């Protein structure tokens, strides 16, 4: 059984639950909103455990003692992500079906996230209908992976790394400003600032990010900065719109151009 | 008044629930025979063998301290691997958070199940000294691994990692390493980068090498730092040989490469032959199968607690087996009536 990401906080909360309930009820009575019990229920609505496949006979269960259930779930609460703790820190992250206790797919990111990873973080942005998610695996200067995971009939059917597509927009703009070749021009720092799902005729995801070539601000290096808004259409499997804004360029050793 | 009574009942209910939630022992492994299990209370309890029917504690599996061991291993997680006949338990302590040299160290012990005349079960250590140290000393003698002129303050650090139990429980396959650390210089004075294979033969009670292991241990690739899997995998062993079934291990890389080529050939033929309307469906099915194959292979390697090259080899083995089954499926489809 893999517990939720914050087992210590969870245990603490349970141990002191009586106090919290008493205080909470007093507050609710005071506020006169005791007739809204759904507010209390909402706090305990999240899945807490995941049971992986049975272990090899006689051996420890890696999913029992080596994995942690990430605390962001699909809106229908069926899907989630598990990542390794320090015991299995070189092992992959997986997307799992919590309802049927099944591991659906390993997340195809270059460097998997693990508990306590230096400069690492994990975020999951689920589509409202739980049919897709953008998984953000952060690194020090840029995401290690920005993975679009598509699900159908309870299976993972496709994983697409969106970083390549974003970099393909940044690179020509940087090359133009720097008078360099496109293949030699890339952002040095990429910061995802927003992921927003759009439902309408087709399922789309809007990604906002900031790219810069000189994150440490070295004077002897040129410095390009731009903010990108790009929209990926899930059915068409491509970026259908993009816009670069607030672009600035400082040549090496010069003032702003 | 009724509200106060309700509050009191809710509070008592929650208090009793909180008591039940108190962290208990974790079940680390269950014997294949189902007779006993190994439990552990984090963070520093010794692993305990408990009877499966009644939960009674049978034994504590404590790894003996080594004279040369230094540092604190109290945060290590013990990993038990029980033999197929349930008569042996290999336990290794893993602490990836420890600073060097403890991060390299894998203290371990092998315990044998015995039964006294009154039927009581006991577990006793198979070697008088630490198992990892004994394994290293055996390999050092066989393969001349260690540097003879260590500086006076150097401390030898050992690691013995579990790889496999043979099906007959007669051999425990280990990956063993040793290095020497100088506390005054805070550096390795003998590299701890490499590991070698050896068996512990549970029938003779001794460490041993077979031709399979000796060949792998003495290949130059064993000490290579290349990331080229094909090269590095030449010196990898993942399966322990049963007594009387000794012999070379087939290369998982070769097996996978052969069947992967066959898969591509069959798939291309199928796509070319099939009705255009069905092509997209076959493509989608193949994509989903690839995701499933790769995921199952990773799970199989994780269930054996493999890492590094052994993990790569086991993933390739698993992928080869799944791909062979897929090729058979697609060949059937190719010759079947679904194709125009």
């Amino acid at each position: 059984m893999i517990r939720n990401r914050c087992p210590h906080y969870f245990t603490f909360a349970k141990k002191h639950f009586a106090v919290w309930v008493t205080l909470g009820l007093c507050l609710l009575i005071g506020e006169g909103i005791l007739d809204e019990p759904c507010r209390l229920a909402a706090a305990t609505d999240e899945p807490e455990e995941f049971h992986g496949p049975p272990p090899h006979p006689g051996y420890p269960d890696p999913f029992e003692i080596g994995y942690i259930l990430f605390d962001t779930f699909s809106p229908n609460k069926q899907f989630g992500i598990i990542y390794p703790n320090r015991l299995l820190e070189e092992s992959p992250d997986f997307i799992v079906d919590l309802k049927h206790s099944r591991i659906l797919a390993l997340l195809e990111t270059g460097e998997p996230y693990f508990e306590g990873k230096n400069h690492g973080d994990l975020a999951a942005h689920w589509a409202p209908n739980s049919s897709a998610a953008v998984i953000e695996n952060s690194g020090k200067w840029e995401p290690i992976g920005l993975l679009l995971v598509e699900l159908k009939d309870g299976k993972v059917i496709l994983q697409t790394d969106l970083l390549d597509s974003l970099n393909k927009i940044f690179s020509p703009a940087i090359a133009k400003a720097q008078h360099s070749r496109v293949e030699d021009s890339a952002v040095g720092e990429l910061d995802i600032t927003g992921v927003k799902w759009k439902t309408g005729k087709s399922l789309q995801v809007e990604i906002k990010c900031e790219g810069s070539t000189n994150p440490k601000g070295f004077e002897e290096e040129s410095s390009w900065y731009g903010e990108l808004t790009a929209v990926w259409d899930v059915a068409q499997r491509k970026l259908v719109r993009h816009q670069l804004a607030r672009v600035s360029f400082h040549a090496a050793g010069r003032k702003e151009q | 008044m009724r509200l106060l009574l309700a509050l009191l009942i809710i509070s008592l209910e929650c208090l009793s629930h909180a008591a039940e939630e108190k962290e208990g022992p974790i079940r680390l492994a269950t014997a294949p025979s189902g007779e006993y299990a190994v439990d552990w209370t984090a963070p520093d309890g010794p692993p305990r063998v408990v009877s499966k029917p009644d939960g009674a504690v049978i034994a504590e599996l404590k790894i003996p301290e080594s004279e040369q061991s230094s540092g604190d291993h109290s945060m290590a997680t013990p990993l038990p691997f029980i033999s197929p006949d349930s008569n042996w338990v290999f336990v290794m302590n893993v602490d990836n958070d420890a600073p060097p040299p403890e991060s390299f160290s894998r203290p371990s012990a092998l315990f044998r199940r015995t039964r006294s005349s009154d039927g009581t079960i006991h577990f006793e250590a198979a070697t008088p000294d630490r198992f990892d140290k004994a394994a290293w000393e055996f390999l050092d003698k066989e393969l001349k691994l260690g540097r003879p002129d260590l500086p006076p303050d150097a401390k030898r650090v050992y690691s013995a990692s579990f790889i496999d139990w043979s099906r007959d429980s007669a051999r425990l396959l280990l990956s063993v390493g040793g290095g020497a650390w100088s506390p005054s210089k805070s550096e390795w004075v003998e590299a701890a980068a490499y590991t070698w294979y050896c068996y512990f033969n549970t029938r003779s009670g001794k460490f041993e090498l077979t031709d399979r292991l000796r060949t792998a241990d003495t290949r130059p690739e064993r000490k290579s730092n290349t990331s080229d899997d094909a090269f590095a995998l030449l010196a990898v062993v993942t399966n322990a040989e049963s007594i009387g079934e000794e012999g070379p291990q087939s290369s998982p890389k070769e097996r996978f490469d052969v069947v992967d080529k066959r898969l591509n050939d069959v798939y291309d033929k199928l796509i070319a032959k099939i009705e255009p309307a069905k092509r997209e469906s076959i493509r989608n099915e193949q994509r989903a199968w690839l995701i499933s194959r790769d995921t199952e292979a990773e799970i199989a390697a994780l269930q054996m607690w493999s890492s590094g090259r052994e993990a790569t080899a086991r993933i390739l083995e698993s992928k080869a087996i799944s791909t062979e089954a897929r090729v058979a499926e697609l060949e059937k489809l190719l010759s079947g009536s679904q194709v125009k």
Side-chain angles (χ1 to χ4, degrees), chain A residues 11 14-15 17-18 21-22 25 29 54 56 58-60 62 65 67 86-88 91-92 94 105-106 156-157 237, chain B residues 3 7 10-11 14 18 23 26 28-30 79-82 96-97 162 287 291 294-295 298 302-305:
Chain A
T11 308
K14 284 246 168 120
K15 280 179 181 168
F17 199 55
V21 167
T22 311
L25 282 174
I29 292 161
H56 185 284
Y59 297 3
I65 61 173
Y67 271 84
R86 298 299 301 268
L87 196 59
L88 287 168
S91 303
F94 293 99
L106 62 102
V156 172
I157 55 161
R237 291 176 180 165
Chain B
L3 186 62
L7 277 172
I10 290 169
S11 301
C14 292
E23 295 287 324
I26 300 164
L28 291 176
T30 302
L79 297 178
F81 296 89
I82 306 170
N96 290 333
D97 282 331
F162 174 81
R287 275 191 209 112
I291 289 172
D294 294 353
T295 304
E298 290 282 354
L302 273 169
Q303 286 174 320
M304 297 299 287
W305 289 84

Side-chain angles (χ1 to χ4, degrees), chain B residues 197-211:
Chain B
Y197 297 117
C198 76
Y199 286 126
F200 182 80
N201 187 319
T202 58
R203 293 186 188 168
S204 66
K206 290 177 180 169
F207 291 97
E208 65 178 9
L209 290 175
T210 58
D211 287 346

Side-chain angles (χ1 to χ4, degrees), chain A:
Chain A
M1 155 182 71
I2 302 165
R3 288 193 184 279
N4 198 301
R5 190 186 193 184
C6 307
H8 302 300
Y9 302 120
F10 188 68
T11 308
F12 176 84
K14 284 246 168 120
K15 280 179 181 168
H16 298 83
F17 199 55
V19 180
W20 299 127
V21 167
T22 311
L23 282 172
L25 282 174
C26 291
L27 277 170
L28 290 172
I29 292 161
E31 292 289 324
I33 51 171
L34 196 58
D35 56 339
E36 292 184 49
C38 59
R39 294 192 183 195
L40 276 174
T44 56
D45 202 21
E46 298 297 325
E48 289 163 19
E49 294 171 1
F50 170 73
H51 298 267
H56 185 284
Y59 297 3
D61 184 345
F63 298 102
E64 166 85 21
I65 61 173
Y67 271 84
I68 295 165
L69 179 59
F70 184 45
D71 62 358
T72 302
F73 308 99
S74 61
N76 65 2
K77 309 282 183 271
Q78 186 177 353
F79 307 113
I81 291 161
I82 57 171
Y83 60 84
N85 61 22
R86 298 299 301 268
L87 196 59
L88 287 168
E89 63 186 23
E90 289 172 9
S91 303
D93 305 330
F94 293 99
I95 185 158
V96 299
D97 181 335
L98 299 155
K99 202 167 139 191
H100 300 100
S101 286
R102 281 191 303 139
I103 294 178
L104 299 178
L106 62 102
L107 289 179
E108 293 169 358
T109 57
E111 265 178 52
Y113 175 75
F114 59 86
E115 183 187 29
K117 188 178 181 185
N118 258 351
H119 306 292
D121 203 3
L122 201 63
H125 309 271
W126 285 93
N129 64 0
S130 302
S131 70
V134 172
I135 315 290
E136 196 182 336
N137 180 7
S138 305
K140 187 173 183 181
W141 297 111
E142 60 178 349
I144 292 161
L146 187 67
L147 203 61
L148 173 67
V149 180
E150 294 175 49
L151 297 111
K152 193 179 175 188
D153 302 328
K155 287 181 181 173
V156 172
I157 55 161
L158 195 66
Q159 296 189 47
T160 313
D161 196 343
L162 302 180
L163 277 182
D164 282 348
S165 301
L166 299 179
N167 281 322
K168 278 179 188 163
I169 299 169
F170 278 117
S171 294
I174 295 166
K176 194 176 168 189
Q178 291 180 338
H179 303 293
S180 57
R181 295 192 309 169
V182 173
E183 53 269 37
D184 297 333
S185 309
V187 287
E189 183 178 40
L190 184 68
D191 189 15
I192 307 292
T193 53
V195 176
K196 193 173 158 190
W197 284 94
K198 295 180 168 191
T199 50
K201 279 184 183 173
S202 62
L203 186 64
Q204 296 184 331
V205 60
E206 181 188 86
I207 295 154
K208 289 190 173 191
C209 55
E210 298 171 3
S212 58
T213 57
N214 186 8
K216 285 191 173 175
F218 293 124
E219 280 191 14
E220 65 276 18
E221 288 179 17
S222 63
S223 183
W224 184 95
Y225 172 86
E227 293 178 6
L228 173 65
T229 302
V231 177
W232 181 274
D233 187 284
V234 174
Q236 293 185 57
R237 291 176 180 165
K238 64 177 185 181
L239 286 178
V240 288
R241 283 192 304 280
H242 70 264
Q243 189 181 8
L244 267 171
R246 300 171 68 88
V247 174
S248 65
F249 178 69
H250 305 253
R254 290 191 203 166
K255 295 278 181 190
E256 189 173 348
Q257 282 190 345

